[in-house]
Amino acid sequence: MAFELPSLPYSFGSLEPHIDALTMEIHHDRHHNAYVTNLNNATAGTDLEGKSLIEILNNIDDYSAAVRNNGGGHYNHSLFWTVMSSSGGGEPEGDLAQAINARFGSFDKFKNEFSTAAATRFGSGWAWLCKKNDGEVEVCSSPNQDNPVMPGVGCGGTPILGLDVWEHAYYLNYQNKRPDYIAAFWNIINWEEVAKRYAE
Ligand code: MN
């Protein structure tokens, strides 16, 4: 079974004005689609066919750069679409809120740490909120299409929230102003989805 591009769970324009429709269309239909196509090309006819994406990422050092970049790209974007929503924003509730407060002291301190991780990731990459095995949460970032599911990358937990800080994610609307894009992201975070992933 080849890897497949997941549908966006909302229309291209539904995250406006925070992320514009054209950026979403190009990002999903071209960038993410290319990661899926290239991942399938890199795994076709190899013993990776039939393996789950998580299984591949957990052992990524055994595989080629093409598998790493495109497998990471497919995983990262599949997560990214789901943690945004036109009805997002605000703050998390319940167990996730408690875990954030326990680790960072307050939601605002967490917000500051995550935003700093996103803003200071040099070049292309991602900022993450991860769940560790003990239930603690941690913030980290990673270069390119790497993610903390890969051995030795970031904080080593399971990503439950991710922000794409590649220029292709924001350049049409924000140009070089990455901090403005990061600030806008807080208005569209789908905390219900993040909490669901925290609970898994
Ligand atoms: Mn991207």
Side-chain angles (χ1 to χ4, degrees), residues 15-51:
L15 301 179
E16 289 193 350
H18 308 294
I19 302 181
D20 62 285
L22 183 58
T23 293
M24 289 300 293
E25 181 177 354
I26 293 171
H27 201 175
H28 177 270
D29 288 7
R30 299 194 209 170
H31 288 280
H32 189 175
N33 192 47
Y35 295 124
V36 173
T37 301
N38 293 335
L39 177 62
N40 284 329
N41 289 340
T43 54
T46 76
D47 62 355
L48 293 184
E49 260 185 341
K51 282 198 159 86

Side-chain angles (χ1 to χ4, degrees), residues 95-148:
D95 290 346
L96 175 59
Q98 284 183 17
I100 286 173
N101 288 336
R103 171 62 186 84
F104 301 101
S106 70
F107 179 78
D108 283 345
K109 285 179 180 169
F110 153 69
K111 185 175 173 178
N112 186 54
E113 190 150 331
F114 184 95
S115 298
T116 299
T120 58
R121 167 50 58 187
F122 184 77
S124 299
W126 291 75
W128 305 104
L129 175 67
C130 292
K131 181 187 183 185
K132 312 284 285 278
N133 285 337
D134 59 6
E136 251 195 30
V137 288
E138 189 59 275
V139 162
C140 63
S141 71
S142 58
N144 305 315
Q145 295 297 352
D146 282 8
N147 62 54

Side-chain angles (χ1 to χ4, degrees), residues 27 31-32 35 73 76-77 80-81 125-126 145 164-169 181:
H27 201 175
H31 288 280
H32 189 175
Y35 295 124
N76 297 346
H77 290 84
F80 186 48
W81 311 132
W126 291 75
Q145 295 297 352
D164 188 344
V165 295
W166 284 58
E167 284 186 345
H168 69 222
Y181 160 72

Side-chain angles (χ1 to χ4, degrees), residues 3-4 33-44 46 48 53 56-57 60 66-75:
F3 295 103
E4 291 181 0
N33 192 47
Y35 295 124
V36 173
T37 301
N38 293 335
L39 177 62
N40 284 329
N41 289 340
T43 54
T46 76
L48 293 184
L53 186 52
I56 292 172
L57 298 180
I60 201 68
V67 172
R68 184 184 195 102
N69 293 333
N70 295 293
H74 180 34
Y75 177 94

